[in-house]
Amino acid sequence: METKYLIIGGGITGLSFAAGLEEDYYILEKEKVAGGYCRTIKEKGFVWDYAGHFFHFNDDIIKKRFKRLLNSDEIIYNRKNTKIYYKGQYIDYPFQYNIHQLYKEEFIDCLVGLFESQEHEESENFEDMLYKRYGEAICDKFLIPYNEKLYACNLNILDIDAMGRFFPSSRPEEIVKGFRRKQQKTYNDEFLYPKQGAEAFVDAVCQEINQERLLTETEVLEIDVEKQEVCTSRGIFKYEYLINTMPLNKFLERANIEHSINFSYNQVLVFNMGFDSVPNDIACHWIYYPDKEICFYRVGFYNNILHSDRMSLYVELGFPKGKKIDIDLWIERVLCDLKKVGIITDQHLIASNNLVMRPAYVHITSESQKRIEQLTDKLSKKNVFSIGRYGAWRYCSIEDCIQQADGLRNRIMEK
């Protein structure tokens, strides 16, 4: 088969790219349904995503599109309420803005460390940047242990800008001035969420494409960027433009392209859990856990997002790239730690499922980013473009993925 645009991957990035095309494209998706990680599970009245996906849009055009695709009565609006569980007390997130909520001695330690920080000095890596920007106390109490649990690696391997705009940053005097504010602004203070889960948005985007051009259960076996051919489980496709959204490391394997890039990442084990009742005193949307004695780094409350009367959680645990994960062992540990931090008391678990995201968060290093940019620049000269969180190998949101897809499509069509 021949086509102008061949899109590898039917996640939100690939679907968004196709949604702006008239015809002459195919989307190759190896799973039975489109959506990638942005899919939803429904069981015994509970609604869970593969992983927590909450739509916080900064781009008005994308926000309007979201609202146009979904009826207003299908969308729930929330103003974010997030906490950090620290030594048995709840601190507002972000930690560095709310050190005044700590006990007096710890607050003083954090405040002194903040003003002794050395942000004016050049940083070598992400860990070094944190210490120089915020001082030892803030880093040792939250920023280092939490992010080590999340990324499942030593933070000194990560680039200074590994988290980009998603990392809340401010100068010491701005943090102090903010102590009197009830809530500090972050990039996702407000968010929208479909009542039927994130997959409802994917389904709506799918309505904008030609369903006959979405080929599910189609695995990419081999890619030849010189011949402009892709061999799949359905046969061979010839293309003019190849748009890749599958993980870049896997793409390079299938294209038999030699490289010296270290594709490092973590795995995230997600437990979705439904209980028979809900505690009355937890009003958060999600809570962060820096304590390394607690196995999970974050717990989210679908019941507070969807305003339901039974507790519905997503629980996230981070693991290194090659770690074998024993699901049975970890579900017991999760239930034990949920009791330890007071999330469950006498509630009974009545429904659950799990999945391992592999890769989950990519590790952004200075060396890998430089080599990836050089490689993708060469590929672009052959009309091959790799976009999205995993295709571009970067830390980004759903909104960013949509913007990447729209921007690339517009640039190609303007040629």
Side-chain angles (χ1 to χ4, degrees), residues 89-309:
Q89 67 177 127
Y90 289 104
I91 307 298
D92 286 331
Y93 179 85
F95 186 88
Q96 56 268 38
Y97 288 106
N98 295 292
I99 55 175
H100 59 289
Q101 297 176 14
L102 297 170
Y103 294 118
K104 182 179 177 181
E105 290 303 317
E106 293 207 278
F107 170 47
I108 292 172
D109 286 345
C110 290
L111 194 60
V112 171
L114 185 63
F115 278 92
E116 288 180 346
S117 60
Q118 301 169 308
E119 189 180 2
H120 59 280
E121 295 186 7
E122 188 174 345
S123 300
E124 297 179 2
N125 53 60
F126 190 68
E127 180 183 77
D128 188 45
M129 177 274 292
L130 293 178
Y131 277 117
K132 286 179 177 175
R133 182 175 292 177
Y134 297 107
E136 285 190 17
I138 289 176
C139 289
D140 291 344
K141 293 177 192 301
F142 178 73
L143 293 177
I144 299 298
Y146 176 76
N147 283 292
E148 284 182 345
K149 285 178 74 175
L150 169 66
Y151 282 104
C153 72
N154 192 314
L155 302 183
N156 64 17
I157 73 166
L158 301 180
D159 184 68
I160 297 168
D161 295 318
M163 294 181 68
R165 67 182 177 86
F166 301 94
F167 185 79
S169 172
S170 190
R171 301 182 65 81
E173 57 270 24
E174 294 171 339
I175 291 174
V176 173
K177 286 178 182 178
F179 287 167
R180 290 187 180 276
R181 298 176 196 157
K182 288 186 177 180
Q183 185 173 359
Q184 294 294 335
K185 286 192 172 184
T186 60
Y187 82 98
N188 61 349
D189 289 330
E190 302 172 351
F191 64 92
L192 305 170
Y193 187 71
K195 291 180 181 178
Q196 297 302 314
E199 193 173 76
F201 180 57
V202 172
D203 291 342
V205 175
C206 280
Q207 298 306 309
E208 295 189 317
I209 67 173
N210 183 338
Q211 297 300 303
E212 294 180 358
R213 299 281 172 164
L214 172 59
L215 306 180
T216 56
E217 298 184 273
T218 304
E219 185 174 2
V220 171
L221 304 175
E222 192 175 349
I223 301 164
D224 190 324
V225 298
E226 301 300 332
K227 292 183 178 179
Q228 294 183 290
E229 291 181 351
V230 174
C231 178
T232 78
S233 54
R234 282 182 185 248
I236 294 176
F237 289 79
K238 292 187 68 68
Y239 63 84
E240 183 177 346
Y241 294 97
L242 182 62
I243 314 301
N244 172 61
T245 70
M246 74 188 300
L248 184 57
N249 57 332
K250 294 182 180 179
F251 174 85
L252 296 177
E253 286 176 11
R254 285 162 176 74
N256 198 27
I257 295 175
E258 293 185 3
H259 63 86
S260 56
I261 303 166
N262 177 22
F263 285 102
S264 180
Y265 57 85
N266 76 340
Q267 306 176 79
V268 170
L269 170 59
V270 182
F271 285 108
N272 291 309
M273 297 179 158
F275 296 84
D276 58 355
S277 61
V278 61
N280 295 321
D281 58 345
I282 300 179
C284 304
H285 294 128
W286 54 88
I287 302 173
Y288 302 91
Y289 294 87
D291 187 348
K292 293 194 176 181
E293 296 302 310
I294 303 299
C295 65
F296 40 77
Y297 64 82
R298 181 167 55 190
V299 175
F301 297 79
Y302 281 112
N303 51 285
N304 291 333
I305 294 165
L306 294 170
H307 312 299
S308 58
D309 58 2

Side-chain angles (χ1 to χ4, degrees), residues 41-94:
I41 302 159
K42 297 173 184 176
E43 185 177 337
K44 296 184 179 179
F46 295 101
V47 175
W48 300 307
D49 291 333
Y50 271 38
H53 292 297
F54 308 110
F55 298 88
H56 24 78
F57 298 114
N58 293 310
D59 187 311
D60 285 338
I61 295 175
I62 296 178
K63 188 174 183 177
K64 288 176 182 176
R65 181 184 175 202
F66 178 88
K67 290 182 175 180
R68 172 176 58 79
L69 291 173
L70 296 170
N71 295 327
S72 58
D73 59 355
E74 297 175 341
I75 302 172
I76 292 177
Y77 164 85
N78 284 288
R79 182 158 189 82
K80 188 183 71 174
N81 179 357
T82 55
K83 303 286 184 183
I84 299 161
Y85 185 81
Y86 179 76
K87 293 186 177 180
Q89 67 177 127
Y90 289 104
I91 307 298
D92 286 331
Y93 179 85

Side-chain angles (χ1 to χ4, degrees), residues 85 88 90 278-282 287 289 294 296 299 301 311 313 334-347:
Y85 185 81
Y90 289 104
V278 61
N280 295 321
D281 58 345
I282 300 179
I287 302 173
Y289 294 87
I294 303 299
F296 40 77
V299 175
F301 297 79
M311 187 160 66
L313 307 178
V334 163
L335 289 169
C336 178
D337 284 355
L338 287 173
K339 287 183 179 179
K340 189 184 297 185
V341 299
I343 289 180
I344 60 174
T345 51
D346 57 353
Q347 288 82 18

Side-chain angles (χ1 to χ4, degrees), residues 364-408:
I364 307 298
T365 70
S366 300
E367 189 61 30
S368 68
Q369 282 304 105
K370 182 170 66 176
R371 293 182 180 183
I372 287 170
E373 287 173 9
Q374 291 170 346
L375 180 62
T376 53
D377 184 59
K378 289 180 180 178
L379 288 173
S380 69
K381 292 178 171 59
K382 300 179 184 293
N383 284 350
V384 177
F385 303 91
S386 202
I387 59 174
R389 171 179 279 200
Y390 301 113
W393 206 260
R394 65 174 66 174
Y395 190 109
C396 60
S397 68
I398 289 175
E399 180 180 49
D400 295 325
C401 291
I402 296 171
Q403 288 176 326
Q404 284 181 52
D406 290 347
L408 175 60

